């Protein structure tokens, strides 16, 4: 797949949400732990050799799962292949928790769901749509319909039941943007669910 | 640079509705011809496919830090996605109608993660103010770029084309830090992230139970 590598490299030089030297082990069998400078910028996790300015690689953090790994590490895996894990070793439990929390928030999908949640809460409490001031209240990406796939147990995350009428109307009006989708990349036999993976 | 391309391809073709999708003409290079491609905008990633039925994207344009402008071009309804920096590539795209072009320019100029984070922080602040004060908080004018919370220099990307961009006299305050110590449980004053974690634990526990019950013959 082609991508604009220059821009990705420029992104890796931007101020980071989190940056630290961690032990990192790739997903391939038999890979060893290497010290890497790991840097979180928007929804990308960059990793550098400790003495180099250009990253060795980057991970786009969409639809990924962050899991704690004993003793004080965590792993990142992706929706299409949950067993294929990138392992990271922290120097303390505290650092590990900090990274895990930051990584879980570091996806566009998580941000989008947060926005929808806050919008809904503010609307419930004030009767006003807070997105109007930004001029983005009609955008399809911010409608409650974007929350399908959340488990019903997540009561706080505003899935469905209390839809205020204004948002409800916007949902049906926006279908033209749900254009015909290309066929999914078939990897293994798994169906690509939109699950709790962010 | 290595990139988790397989995950990217999966993200490009997953079930959720795209933020925008449609045919656009893409200029191959400075003196090259236009190719008609199927474009899918998802988050801050603009994927393009050979056609709407393709299984895998031909490529992706990572949009973080870009500006979107109208351009003078031989093609009608043309616009450009530009990046800062020496020798940075400019992507010239052309839509098939005025309405489509306007829709794309709008969608792309607000597609950055940074912009979304700005809006989320502002809403978080408003919600906290409403919960604390009891009345609706006066909306803040959309500002240019707030300083990063970790004290690093301000992000140097371009300002998105917001409808009333007015750099404020001072940056907005940091959103209040909430701890999960509300006596009545998380609902009272928790942030979305905390609620997500809280209910996530419950879901994980339930899932663990279910998996164990499945493991027994």
């Amino acid at each position: 797949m082609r991508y604009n590598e220059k821009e990705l490299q420029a992104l890796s030089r931007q101020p980071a949400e989190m940056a630290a030297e961690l032990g990192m082990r790739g997903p391939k069998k038999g890979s060893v732990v290497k010290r890497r400078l790991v840097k979180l910028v928007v929804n990308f996790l960059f990793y550098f050799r400790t003495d180099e300015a250009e990253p060795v690689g980057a991970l786009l953090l969409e639809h990924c799962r962050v899991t704690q790994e004993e003793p004080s590490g965590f792993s990142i895996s992706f929706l299409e292949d949950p067993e294929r894990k990138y392992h990271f070793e922290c120097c303390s439990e505290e650092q590990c928790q900090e990274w895990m929390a930051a990584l879980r928030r570091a996806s566009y999908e998580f941000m989008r769901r947060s926005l929808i949640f806050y919008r809904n809460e503010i609307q419930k409490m004030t009767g006003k749509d807070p997105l109007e001031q930004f001029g983005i209240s009609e955008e399809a990406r911010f409608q409650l319909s974007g929350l399908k796939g959340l488990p019903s147990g997540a009561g706080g995350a505003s899935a469905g039941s209390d839809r205020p009428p204004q948002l409800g109307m916007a949902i049906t009006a926006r279908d033209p943007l749900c254009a015909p989708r290309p066929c999914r990349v078939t990897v293994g036999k798994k169906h690509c669910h939109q699950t709790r993976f962010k | 640079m290595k990139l988790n391309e397989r995950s990217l391809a999966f993200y490009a073709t997953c079930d959720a509705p795209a933020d925008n999708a449609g045919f656009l003409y893409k200029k191959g290079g400075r003196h090259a011809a236009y190719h008609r491609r199927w474009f899918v905008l998802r988050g801050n990633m603009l994927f393009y496919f050979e056609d709407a039925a393709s299984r895998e994207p031909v490529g992706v344009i990572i949009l973080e830090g870009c500006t979107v402008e109208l351009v003078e071009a031989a093609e009608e309804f043309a616009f450009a996605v530009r990046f800062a920096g020496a020798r940075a590539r400019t992507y010239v795209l052309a839509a098939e109608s005025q309405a489509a072009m306007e829709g794309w320019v709008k969608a792309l100029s607000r597609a950055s993660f940074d912009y979304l984070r700005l809006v989320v922080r502002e809403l978080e602040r408003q919600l906290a103010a409403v919960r604390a004060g009891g009345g609706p908080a006066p909306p803040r004018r959309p500002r240019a770029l707030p300083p990063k919370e970790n004290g690093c220099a301000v992000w140097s990307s371009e300002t998105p084309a917001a409808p009333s961009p007015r750099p404020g006299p001072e940056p907005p305050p940091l959103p209040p830090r909430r701890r999960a110590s509300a006596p009545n449980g998380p609902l009272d004053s928790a942030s979305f992230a905390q609620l997500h974690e809280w209910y996530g634990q419950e879901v994980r526990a339930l899932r663990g139970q279910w998996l164990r019950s499945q493991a027994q013959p």
Side-chain angles (χ1 to χ4, degrees):
Chain A
M1 197 192 306
R2 283 188 236 140
Y3 66 96
N4 44 337
E5 187 162 9
K6 268 219 191 72
E7 277 70 49
L8 196 55
Q9 280 169 346
L11 198 61
S12 75
R13 295 191 280 272
Q14 296 298 329
E17 194 68 30
M18 297 273 289
E21 195 184 302
L22 302 175
M24 181 178 174
R25 186 159 57 89
K28 291 208 177 88
K29 235 182 172 178
S31 54
V32 292
V33 178
K34 301 194 176 126
R35 300 301 295 173
R36 292 284 180 256
L37 171 61
V38 181
K39 202 172 165 188
L40 175 62
V41 182
V42 294
N43 51 348
F44 280 95
L45 189 66
F46 295 100
Y47 48 99
F48 301 72
R49 286 195 190 91
T50 50
D51 55 350
E52 287 180 3
E54 296 300 342
V56 173
L59 296 175
L60 175 71
L61 296 170
E62 300 296 333
H63 292 178
C64 75
R65 170 196 256 173
V66 181
T67 317
Q68 181 141 19
E69 304 282 346
E70 294 309 316
S72 56
F74 60 89
S75 65
I76 299 176
S77 60
F78 295 90
L79 189 57
E80 75 276 4
D81 199 350
E83 294 314 306
R84 196 164 180 273
K85 295 179 171 185
Y86 294 81
H87 290 265
F88 296 86
E89 287 171 11
C90 301
C91 62
S92 69
E93 176 70 22
E94 201 192 329
Q95 188 189 41
C96 181
Q97 292 301 326
E98 223 185 314
W99 271 95
M100 287 175 62
L103 290 166
R104 287 186 177 129
R105 288 193 302 267
S107 77
Y108 202 98
E109 299 306 314
F110 181 86
M111 281 285 145
R112 189 207 310 267
R113 291 208 294 267
S114 302
L115 186 148
I116 293 171
F117 169 75
Y118 288 128
R119 179 193 194 184
N120 195 38
E121 290 297 300
I122 292 170
Q123 181 119 28
K124 277 196 299 198
M125 293 180 79
T126 67
K128 285 211 202 121
D129 179 0
L131 291 193
E132 273 169 19
Q133 73 198 242
F134 292 97
I136 55 179
S137 47
E138 293 309 300
E139 290 192 12
R141 59 179 170 152
F142 298 141
Q143 307 311 321
L144 273 176
S145 57
L147 287 180
K148 69 177 181 199
L150 279 185
S152 51
S158 74
S161 48
D162 274 3
R163 229 168 267 185
Q166 301 93 312
L167 294 183
M169 273 160 45
I171 289 163
T172 46
R174 283 290 126 181
D175 271 344
L177 286 185
C178 301
R181 288 182 306 278
C183 301
R184 273 194 303 289
V185 172
T186 45
V187 179
K189 310 291 180 293
K190 284 198 180 159
H191 180 69
C192 181
H193 284 292
Q194 178 136 356
T195 66
R196 288 198 67 249
F197 286 60
K198 63 179 176 81
Chain B
M1 200 197 303
K2 287 192 229 169
L3 186 58
N4 52 333
E5 292 183 29
R6 211 144 144 275
S7 308
L8 240 82
F10 237 84
Y11 180 54
T13 54
C14 75
D15 255 344
D19 295 330
N20 209 357
F23 283 105
L24 290 172
Y25 291 89
K26 177 175 170 290
K27 202 155 195 279
R30 201 175 326 166
H31 303 294
Y34 283 88
H35 294 280
R36 192 168 184 255
R37 296 273 181 254
W38 177 256
F39 278 78
V40 172
L41 172 64
R42 208 182 279 288
N44 55 352
M45 315 287 285
L46 183 61
F47 297 96
Y48 51 99
F49 299 77
E50 187 90 28
D51 56 57
S54 304
R55 286 164 174 270
E56 224 177 288
V58 169
V60 62
I61 303 171
I62 298 162
L63 296 169
E64 206 64 30
C66 77
T67 46
V68 185
E69 313 168 356
L70 302 177
V71 288
E72 282 291 314
E75 273 308 295
E76 259 191 311
F77 316 124
F79 58 98
V81 175
R82 272 190 220 287
F83 294 92
R87 294 194 303 271
R89 167 128 183 221
T90 295
Y91 293 88
V92 179
L93 302 169
E96 293 179 316
S97 70
Q98 180 71 17
M101 183 201 70
E102 285 173 7
W104 275 108
V105 169
K106 231 171 145 186
L108 294 174
S109 56
R110 291 175 186 153
S112 72
F113 185 95
D114 217 40
Y115 175 77
L116 190 58
R117 183 163 49 190
L118 205 141
V119 176
V120 169
R121 283 195 182 145
E122 173 58 19
L123 293 194
E124 202 174 13
R125 186 201 68 83
Q126 282 186 25
L127 183 58
V130 170
R131 278 176 172 161
R140 275 172 181 267
R141 294 224 183 81
R143 299 198 191 278
L145 301 162
K148 300 279 285 181
E149 281 186 335
N150 59 5
C152 289
V154 171
W155 185 277
S156 58
S157 64
E158 308 297 328
T159 313
S164 51
R166 251 170 290 185
E170 87 280 282
L174 298 175
R177 288 277 177 220
R178 274 180 294 272
R179 295 289 142 217
S181 56
N184 301 321
L187 288 173
D188 273 6
S189 57
S191 67
F192 178 83
Q194 284 170 328
L195 287 170
H196 190 76
E197 256 313 295
W198 182 276
Y199 288 104
Q201 283 168 28
E202 191 182 300
V203 172
R204 276 195 284 275
L206 287 170
R207 188 168 172 272
Q209 276 175 35
W210 181 81
L211 285 171
R212 284 190 287 278
S213 72
Q214 293 298 300
Q216 287 155 21

